[in-house]
Each structure stands twice: as C-alpha cells, then as structure tokens.
Amino acid sequence: MKWPAHGSNPQYVYQAMNLPMPTERMDYSANINPLGPPSVIRERWGELSGLVTEYPDPYGAALKRKLSKALEISERCILIGNGGSELISLLGRLLAGREAAIVQPSFTEYEEACRVNHCAVSYVQAEEGSWRWGEEDILLSIKRSDALFLCNPSNPTGVYYGRKDIVRLLMECRKYDCKLIIDEAFYDFLEEYESLVPLLKEFPQLIIIRSLTKMYAIPGLRLGYLLADEEVVSSLSKLQPHWSVNALALQAGEWCLDCESHVQETQKAVSRERERLFQFYHSLNLLVSPSSTNYYLLRIPGLQDQFQFYEYLVKHGIIPRHSMNFKGIEGRWLRFAIRTEAENDRLMEAVEKWMNTTQ
C-alpha cells in the first residue's frame, strides 16, 4: 500500500485503502487551529480581491517589517517563505552534497529536501516513550554533520524541548561548526514557550523556521518565515524564486500578527481539550505521548501495529495521521490533532466503542 506522505487531503487515505469515503467525516490528521482563522480574515477577505491583479512584493517588505518589530530582530535576518515547506526545500539546496542529521521521529520533509539535494542523511533516534534523544548519540551526530534538524515541539510527538536543552546543543554546534535548524511550526500553541530568537545574535549556527498557517488556520494560503544570521538569509534568498509568496498570503500574514488575543484563546482551548483527552485515554490505560501542543501520539497497548485500530476509525469517518513514514515508530502509533470539544467527544466515543468491542 502506498501511504499518503502527509496529513490532510483524506481522500488519498481512502484511495490507498480502497475504501469508500463517508459523507460525514472528521480530519484529525492535519494539525490546524481548531478555532479556525482569526475573525479579521473573514471580515476583511473582500479587500484581498484587488490584490489578484497585482504582482506581490517579492521581498514581503511590509510583513518583514512587522516581524522585525515584533521579534526585535533585524529585517536582514528574516526570510519570508511560501510555507515552511519552501523554506525547508531552500535549506536542502543550501546543504547540497553535505551531511545532515535529523532527530527522529520527525517531519518527513527534512529528509526529502536533503536527499533530493544529494546530502548524506543520518538519524538521531529519540527513545520511544520518553521521546528523549541519547546525549552521546546527538553529540556524535553534531560532530559528524554539517547540519542537525530538530522539530520543536516535535512533530509527531508534541514533546517540547526547553531552551536549556537547545543551548546545550548550540554550544556543541558552535564547537564543530554545525548548523542547528529548529522547526518551530507549532511553537505558538505552547503556553510556556521560551523564545530562542535572542540566541541568534550569540549563535550564528542557529536557524529557526516558523509557520503562520497552523496557528492562524490558513494552510491554503501557504506562509512562513525563517530567522537566521544575515549571511544565511542572504544565501537562501538567492535560491528562492521571485514572487515566491502570493499577495493574499502576505496581507493575511500582516493581519494575523495583530491577533494576539486569538493566540491566547487558542492556547487555553487547546490546553483544556488536551487535558480532557489525556484523562480519558489514561482511564482506558492507553498510551499517549506527553505533548505540550495541539497534537499527540496515541497507541493501543498490545497492538504492535495500529492498523486495525486505524482502519476502524477511518471506516467510521475519523481520520488520524498514520505513522508509517515516521522513522522509528512505523505503524506503532497514530497521531491526532486536538479539535473542537464536539469533535473530540466524537473521537472519544469511537475509541471507547473500539475498546469495548475488542476486549
């Protein structure tokens, strides 16, 4: 079976499994804000129609200025991209022919971007259950590699590694001239986030990737940004196609950055639902990753391969993210996004029915 490479687009799951797609279904495979976009997107959407007849600003200058002010960082240290995926692709080109290590399990795009650019790729495997890397393993990888990719909070586990852990890695990266590429696509769902942005001045090896599509629920627009040393940003910008980011996304990004109340409301809602879900899972003695963000891994003990459970859910219109292409956990866990209260209720009902019918 050829599994879809990512979450979302559930029609490809049903095609791969040769199943009819239910009319009513809920997609838990895409980690998008369950509250949806900020109200300003709906209220001002009509204003965007006039932008489609004009070329977008190839440098995203207005959005860059806004980010610069908010993050207290030079505009020369910011690169706007067509979603995190484009920025990851550009990094793959920058590292062409060199050695890259990836902390696993992790987002699959890092390896794909590196492989297509003929990089030698190695892995640092986090221990299943604790989801911590071995200190000796990661330090050896830094010593041998030109770059280390770390998703933080981790995708798919949702585990967050604090600033102290990152500084320790950066000290080693500076010693061995290894870039530390940290993907913070879901950082703004964290209630207790420790910003790494101030570390950019001290550690030119640090590269941070961020997304604007997850928190603000605008994945169809594709928008993200990268923070790094001026030289790194300059090198990446030379590889980026002109007019890479469309005008609608740039304008929406500016609006979203003013929606701090939306971020705070989302954090509280996700935290509340995550606690409720985890209490339910623990009451059934199910295994769940210690996530701090808006998604988590779930496992039915006693099932080495979760396919039966996955198939049951999919047939009932509930689509989690399979883990077949996550290195080190292939098929042993399922990833779920935290959705609205009603959607999470439906998920818990389905899980409880599965447990009752299989015990």
Side-chain angles (χ1 to χ4, degrees):
M1 182 186 300
K2 182 175 174 57
W3 289 97
H6 299 287
S8 75
N9 306 120
Q11 67 271 25
Y12 296 114
V13 168
Y14 288 94
Q15 286 181 18
M17 299 179 70
N18 196 28
L19 292 173
M21 187 161 65
T23 303
E24 293 185 12
R25 57 189 180 275
M26 293 184 180
D27 187 1
Y28 299 80
S29 71
N31 304 326
I32 304 302
N33 189 336
L35 302 187
S39 58
V40 66
I41 299 295
R42 293 185 294 273
E43 292 165 0
R44 302 184 65 176
W45 186 256
E47 298 177 31
L48 299 178
S49 61
L51 298 177
V52 299
T53 59
E54 302 175 8
Y55 281 96
D57 180 347
Y59 309 108
L63 179 57
K64 194 178 291 186
R65 281 195 299 271
K66 201 150 196 170
L67 285 167
S68 173
K69 183 177 180 181
L71 300 173
E72 299 182 348
I73 188 174
S74 168
E75 292 179 33
R76 294 189 294 274
C77 295
I78 304 172
L79 181 65
I80 309 297
N82 189 346
S85 293
E86 185 200 22
L87 298 168
I88 293 166
S89 178
L90 293 175
L91 286 166
R93 293 179 64 188
L94 187 69
L95 294 169
R98 304 172 77 180
E99 299 202 15
I102 304 171
V103 178
Q104 298 283 10
S106 198
F107 187 46
T108 58
E109 289 291 320
Y110 313 140
E111 181 169 359
E112 292 178 17
C114 289
R115 296 262 184 218
V116 78
N117 286 287
H118 310 290
C119 296
V121 177
S122 61
Y123 310 125
V124 179
Q125 192 68 48
E127 182 181 4
E128 191 170 343
S130 71
W131 310 110
R132 296 287 307 181
W133 56 73
E135 286 297 316
E136 290 186 12
D137 292 342
I138 203 164
L139 295 183
L140 184 60
S141 282
I142 289 172
K143 186 176 181 179
R144 292 176 174 177
S145 304
D146 296 295
L148 174 69
F149 285 85
L150 172 64
C151 193
N152 191 33
S154 165
N155 178 9
T157 69
V159 171
Y160 173 56
Y161 306 105
R163 182 183 171 118
K164 188 176 180 180
D165 287 326
I166 302 305
V167 169
R168 189 163 59 251
L169 296 181
L170 281 169
M171 296 288 284
E172 294 299 314
C173 285
R174 180 162 61 187
K175 189 186 303 183
Y176 295 106
D177 193 26
C178 174
K179 297 187 186 305
L180 180 58
I181 302 169
I182 300 186
D183 186 348
E184 292 192 332
F186 300 95
Y187 86 97
D188 38 7
F189 288 90
L190 299 168
E191 289 187 292
E192 298 182 4
Y193 169 71
E194 301 171 295
S195 178
L196 303 180
V197 176
L199 298 177
L200 288 164
K201 294 179 180 178
E202 185 180 354
F203 297 99
Q205 296 79 17
L206 177 61
I207 299 173
I208 301 171
I209 305 169
R210 288 180 172 177
S211 170
L212 290 171
T213 61
K214 277 73 173 181
M215 170 55 72
Y216 301 109
I218 51 171
L221 290 179
R222 311 305 306 137
L223 186 63
Y225 61 95
L226 177 146
L227 307 172
D229 180 77
E230 289 182 28
E231 287 189 19
V232 173
V233 170
S234 176
S235 297
L236 289 170
S237 63
K238 292 173 184 176
L239 300 173
Q240 188 177 37
H242 215 58
W243 302 305
S244 168
V245 184
N246 72 77
L248 282 69
L250 291 171
Q251 181 59 75
E254 289 187 60
W255 292 340
C256 287
L257 290 179
D258 290 329
C259 298
E260 183 59 31
S261 61
H262 187 73
V263 175
Q264 294 174 355
E265 183 183 357
T266 297
Q267 290 173 348
K268 291 177 182 177
V270 167
S271 178
R272 182 174 60 250
E273 284 302 297
R274 185 175 60 240
E275 182 177 355
R276 194 167 70 92
L277 283 160
F278 284 16
Q279 286 179 352
F280 168 76
Y281 294 139
H282 291 149
S283 72
L284 295 176
N285 296 316
L286 305 185
L287 300 177
V288 62
S289 62
S291 172
S292 297
T293 187
N294 63 318
Y295 53 88
Y296 55 91
L297 288 179
L298 179 67
R299 183 178 177 186
I300 306 293
L303 283 182
Q304 180 67 10
D305 184 333
Q306 302 292 302
F307 180 78
Q308 284 181 289
F309 179 43
Y310 180 77
E311 185 180 42
Y312 170 85
L313 293 174
V314 168
K315 284 181 176 179
H316 287 79
I318 292 174
I319 305 106
R321 167 67 158 88
H322 70 83
S323 65
M324 295 304 297
N325 60 343
F326 283 124
K327 289 286 190 299
I329 63 167
E330 296 90 342
R332 294 194 299 277
W333 299 77
L334 298 178
R335 192 192 72 192
F336 292 83
I338 294 174
R339 303 298 305 160
T340 65
E341 181 179 354
E343 290 170 321
N344 294 329
D345 283 342
R346 178 173 171 184
L347 172 60
M348 289 188 285
E349 289 173 9
V351 171
E352 192 163 28
K353 285 182 181 178
W354 161 267
M355 296 299 293
N356 289 336
T357 57
T358 57
Q359 288 181 344

